[in-house]
Amino acid sequence: MKGIKILSTGHYAPSKVVSNDDLAKVVETSDEWIKSRTGIANRHISVDQNTSELAYLAAKDAIEKGQIDTSKIKYILVATFTPDDYTPSTACIVQKKLGLNDQEIMAFDINAACSGFVYSLNIIKGMLQKDEYAILIGSEVISKLIDWQDRGTCILFGDGAGAAIVEGSDNRLFYSYNNSTGNEEALYCKGRTFNNETEGCLYMDGREVFKFAVDAINKSIANLLSQSGLTLDEIDYVVCHQANYRIISHVYKKLKADPSKFFMNLQEYGNTSAASIPMALSEMNEQGLLKENQKIICVGFGSGLTWGATLFEW
C-alpha cells in the first residue's frame, strides 16, 4: 500500500487574542453563553498579516523543526477559502517567501473549506514519488470576512495556519474517504457578482451545519474503519475539524468512544477552517502526544458541503 509519512509539523497564530469577554463588548453575548454552546474561549485575529504570511510562517516553523532538506520539496499545496487575491495562488506566494523559486515546484491552492487539509492529504498521496517532499498547509484569515455584528458567526471563527511536510512511503497504512454535495445555503460567503457588487460576509445556518457535521463525522469514521478492518479501539487519535465542542462530544458519546482520543484545541483558536486540523496535529506533536506508528484519523467537514477523512500511521 502506498501511503505517506509526516516528517514535520508547524503552526502559526496571530498574536492578537480576542476573548469572549472582548466580544461581549461588541455583540449581545457572554463568556458563559459562548463556552456552553461552543467550547470556545479565545480566537486569534490577524491585524495586518494576510493568508500567505500565516501560511509561510507555519511552513517555516515545520521546516525548522524538522530540519528539512528544502531541495527535496517538489509540491506546495495550500488549502484555503480566504486567499490574499484571486490569483496568484497562495501557494505560489509561499514558494517565493520561502526562497524556493530557483527549484522545480508544483504550487497550487485548493478550496474545500474546512475539509481542505483532509482533501490535500489524499491529493498529495497520489502525486508524491520516492525521495520527494510536499508542504501541505491549511491557512485562513477568516476575520476579514466576518460581520462583527453577527453573533452567529463572529463568536466562532479565528485566524491561523498549520503545515505538515510529508513524503511518500511504500507499504504504509493509508485509507481515505472524501465526499461532497452541492449546497449554497447552509454555509457560504458570496463573492463578486457580474454587477460588480462587493464581496459579502460569512453566513452560516448553525442548526443545519450541526446536523450535517455530526452525520459527516460518523459516516467518515465508519467508512475508514470498514476499509481498514480496524476498530475504533485500535485508533490512537481522532483529530476532527475544530468547529464546536458540542459537535465533537456528540460524536464520541454516540460512538461510546474514549473522549481522550478526540483531541481538541478549539478553546484557544476557535474554528480556523482548513487550518484547524494541521494546527491540532502540530500542537499534538509539540506536546509529545504523537508516537511512531500510531494510527491517526483526521476528519474534516465544511462548506460545499464537503467532508472526508484519512487514516494513516504517524
Side-chain angles (χ1 to χ4, degrees):
M1 178 186 294
K2 181 181 178 182
I4 61 167
K5 181 176 182 180
I6 296 181
L7 302 174
S8 181
T9 56
H11 67 283
Y12 177 81
S15 59
K16 181 179 179 180
V17 177
V18 176
S19 68
N20 293 340
D21 288 332
D22 292 330
L23 286 178
K25 300 172 184 176
V26 181
V27 293
E28 185 180 348
T29 190
S30 69
D31 178 61
E32 181 184 5
W33 192 92
I34 297 172
K35 282 181 179 176
S36 65
R37 287 161 177 79
T38 70
I40 299 168
N42 298 306
R43 66 285 297 145
H44 292 242
I45 301 298
S46 179
V47 176
D48 56 6
Q49 296 169 300
N50 214 337
T51 304
S52 65
E53 182 67 9
L54 270 59
Y56 157 69
L57 291 169
K60 182 172 177 284
D61 187 40
I63 290 169
E64 291 174 351
K65 286 177 177 173
Q67 299 181 332
I68 298 299
D69 178 359
T70 56
S71 69
K72 292 187 176 183
I73 296 170
K74 302 300 180 183
Y75 303 94
I76 300 175
L77 202 167
V78 176
T80 186
F81 81 94
T82 61
D84 295 14
D85 299 297
Y86 294 130
T87 192
S89 71
T90 309
C92 282
I93 299 172
V94 170
Q95 179 183 0
K96 180 180 180 180
K97 286 177 178 287
L98 288 172
L100 301 179
N101 277 353
D102 60 344
Q103 62 192 66
E104 293 183 357
I105 288 178
M106 183 177 179
F108 62 101
D109 294 356
I110 70 161
N111 179 358
C114 308
S115 307
F117 188 77
V118 170
Y119 272 37
S120 299
L121 287 169
N122 196 38
I123 291 168
I124 208 65
K125 177 247 184 183
M127 299 173 70
L128 281 170
Q129 302 300 316
K130 188 176 180 180
D131 294 324
E132 289 184 343
Y133 294 172
I135 306 178
L136 305 184
I137 308 168
S139 184
E140 306 281 14
V141 179
I142 306 173
S143 60
K144 61 188 178 183
L145 300 176
I146 291 294
D147 176 357
W148 292 99
Q149 301 302 314
D150 177 11
R151 185 176 67 171
T153 56
C154 74
I155 66 170
L156 299 174
F157 295 94
D159 303 334
I165 298 177
V166 305
E167 67 173 342
S169 178
D170 292 334
N171 300 315
R172 198 171 181 89
L173 185 75
F174 188 96
Y175 295 93
S176 67
Y177 165 71
N178 295 285
N179 211 335
S180 67
T181 184
N183 182 319
E184 299 176 83
E185 291 79 39
L187 179 56
Y188 64 82
C189 182
K190 295 296 185 182
R192 197 174 295 275
T193 71
F194 289 109
N195 296 321
N196 249 1
E197 294 178 8
T198 57
E199 294 89 342
C201 292
L202 193 64
Y203 169 82
M204 184 176 72
D205 182 331
R207 289 186 179 181
E208 285 301 311
V209 171
F210 186 96
K211 289 189 293 184
F212 152 70
V214 169
D215 185 58
I217 296 173
N218 284 324
K219 284 182 177 177
S220 298
I221 292 174
N223 185 288
L224 293 181
L225 295 179
S226 176
Q227 285 188 59
S228 65
L230 298 171
T231 67
L232 192 55
D233 288 340
E234 295 175 282
I235 304 301
D236 294 285
Y237 286 104
V238 178
V239 184
C240 296
H241 163 50
Q242 303 290 295
N244 187 310
Y245 167 79
R246 280 186 171 182
I247 291 173
I248 299 174
S249 62
H250 189 282
V251 169
Y252 65 63
K253 288 175 183 177
K254 187 171 183 178
L255 293 174
K256 296 181 173 60
D258 180 357
S260 67
K261 286 181 183 282
F262 289 73
F263 179 84
M264 280 187 270
N265 63 357
L266 59 86
Q267 59 274 14
E268 176 60 24
Y269 301 109
N271 182 341
T272 56
S273 187
S276 77
I277 291 176
M279 288 179 73
L281 288 173
S282 180
E283 287 210 327
M284 293 171 74
N285 203 14
E286 278 190 346
Q287 294 170 24
L289 298 176
L290 300 176
K291 310 294 185 183
E292 185 79 16
N293 298 321
Q294 283 182 331
K295 296 176 179 63
I296 313 295
I297 289 179
C298 293
V299 187
F301 51 89
S303 179
L305 298 166
T306 62
W307 67 98
T310 56
L311 166 57
F312 58 91
E313 288 178 313
W314 189 256

